[in-house]
Amino acid sequence: MEAPRLAHTMSSPTSPCEEVIKNLSLEAIQLCDRDGNKSQDSGIAEMEELPVPHNIKISNITCDSFKISWDMDSKSKDRITHYFIDLNKKENKNSNKFKHKDVPTKLVAKAVPLPMTVRGHWFLSPRTEYTVAVQTASKQVDGDYVVSEWSEIIEFCTADYSKVHLTQLLEKAEVIAGRMLKLSVFYRNQHKEYFDYIREHHGNAMQPSIKDNSGSHGSPISGKLEGIFFSCNTEFNTGKPPQDSPYGRYRYEIAAEKLFNPNTNLYFGDFYCMYTAYHYVILVIAPVGSPGDEFCKQRLPQLNIKDNKFLTCDEEDGVLVYHHAQDVILEVIYTDPVDLSLGTVAEITGHQLMSLSTANAKKDPSCKTCNISVGR
């Protein structure tokens, strides 16, 4: 049976935690310093004879939860009624434990069998380093507490989004994808020097590189998946790629069937915006059985290449026909090297719109369209 979930000990009048806390069998406490000394106004007394937690273990880590257990001496163990847990982002571990009285880091739960599950998207974010320390406490008849000394400080890092979380993002993206438009090519914009370098140092083949940290903070492909970015959106009135680009004045174009065909798998990677009205969807194309395919199969929701809301490859009269979603900007990652000889490089006639660049772009955590109910 899962242990009770923990909640913030205090919240501001407008805090979204209030409704959550109402549904939990937890009690509010006032803040005290991690070093074991009570705050001036905490109303918490010390009692050295309460056992101090030690040998703390963190397990079953997800993007918004973890399990915690520890050892403690049997002395006065039966007097323990509550556990106090101080949870902080690692970068703040040597600073004041709270900047405002209504933004506490202390969590409290009734003493239950260990390990205990700590869960809550209001204070846990994916792929984030945290520190944690624990006290044991005994609630008195007057409502006050006596507490042990703080345990040692343990560090851990939360996990990436799971397939379940990415499927939630996928479903939100499907809602706004819009109607499908035809396309015939994938394209990649870069500076002339990039293509010169590829010809001179990589035998004419563009090489996969590690994806940057743009998009959702919990995305399992950021900083891990190797691939080559391509675009495929077309202008509504011409059916061709737009002439403007944020990434350089030279464009490599390649026929869609060279990269995307029945011998490739398609995966959903991310959905995000950058404080703008338009949204981005990241898709991954991986040759069947390739290292990229194996990476994605374990981490990302797979899409039916013939039937999905974003990018399709279907056969009509013996010819492969391609469509893309009109109302999102697609970023396509191809996971294998691509030889320049398979396409063409030419200078575009439009502008270089740097404001549209998504390099290491930060996702808007307040957007209701592209966020899910776990830590950002």
Side-chain angles (χ1 to χ4, degrees), residues 174-374:
E174 289 175 335
V175 172
I176 70 162
R179 71 170 183 166
M180 303 291 279
L181 303 177
K182 276 192 174 183
L183 71 107
S184 59
V185 299
F186 290 100
Y187 55 95
R188 174 174 172 80
N189 289 83
Q190 284 286 346
H191 299 285
K192 181 177 181 296
E193 292 76 14
Y194 168 82
F195 294 110
D196 290 342
Y197 184 87
I198 293 300
R199 294 185 186 100
E200 183 176 351
H201 297 280
H202 290 292
N204 214 45
M206 293 185 290
Q207 300 297 315
S209 59
I210 295 292
K211 183 194 171 296
D212 65 11
N213 288 315
S214 60
S216 300
H217 188 56
S219 172
I221 62 177
S222 293
K224 296 180 180 179
L225 177 67
E226 292 189 353
I228 305 170
F229 263 108
F230 285 91
S231 299
C232 66
N233 292 80
T234 59
E235 292 181 323
F236 178 77
N237 56 340
T238 66
K240 296 181 179 180
Q243 282 300 307
D244 298 327
S245 167
Y247 300 112
R249 295 192 56 79
Y250 282 77
R251 173 173 294 168
Y252 175 74
E253 286 191 9
I254 183 171
E257 61 265 24
K258 299 286 188 181
L259 300 185
F260 188 32
N261 53 61
N263 295 318
T264 55
N265 284 327
L266 181 67
Y267 298 91
F268 173 83
D270 201 2
F271 177 45
Y272 70 100
C273 73
M274 303 179 296
Y275 303 88
T276 57
Y278 41 88
H279 282 79
Y280 295 83
V281 169
I282 297 180
L283 303 175
V284 182
I285 297 176
V288 174
S290 66
D293 188 36
E294 294 303 315
F295 177 95
C296 295
K297 192 173 295 183
Q298 300 174 35
R299 297 169 176 83
L300 307 180
Q302 186 171 349
L303 303 176
N304 184 334
I305 68 171
K306 295 182 178 182
D307 183 20
N308 67 80
K309 299 289 188 181
F310 311 109
L311 180 65
T312 60
C313 167
D314 206 355
E315 188 173 322
E316 295 180 10
D317 300 325
V319 178
L320 294 178
V321 178
Y322 297 87
H323 291 84
H324 71 88
Q326 172 185 348
D327 294 335
V328 293
I329 300 175
L330 297 179
E331 297 182 302
V332 178
I333 300 177
Y334 186 75
T335 61
D336 273 13
V338 176
D339 198 292
L340 293 179
S341 65
L342 296 175
T344 59
V345 177
E347 188 173 3
I348 61 174
T349 59
H351 302 286
Q352 187 173 339
L353 304 177
M354 295 305 295
S355 62
L356 295 179
S357 173
T358 61
N360 290 306
K362 300 302 180 185
K363 180 175 182 176
D364 179 1
S366 65
C367 178
K368 295 181 179 179
T369 301
C370 61
N371 282 293
I372 55 177
S373 58
V374 294

Side-chain angles (χ1 to χ4, degrees), residues 31 88-89 91-93 95-105:
L31 292 169
N88 293 278
K89 288 187 177 180
E91 59 265 28
N92 297 326
K93 66 178 180 179
S95 63
N96 195 334
K97 297 302 180 294
F98 53 95
K99 294 181 179 179
H100 305 286
K101 287 288 185 180
D102 60 351
V103 187
T105 59

Side-chain angles (χ1 to χ4, degrees), residues 73-85:
D73 297 333
S74 59
K75 180 182 178 182
S76 300
K77 191 174 181 179
D78 57 344
R79 297 185 64 249
I80 299 172
T81 62
H82 291 78
Y83 302 136
F84 294 175
I85 298 180

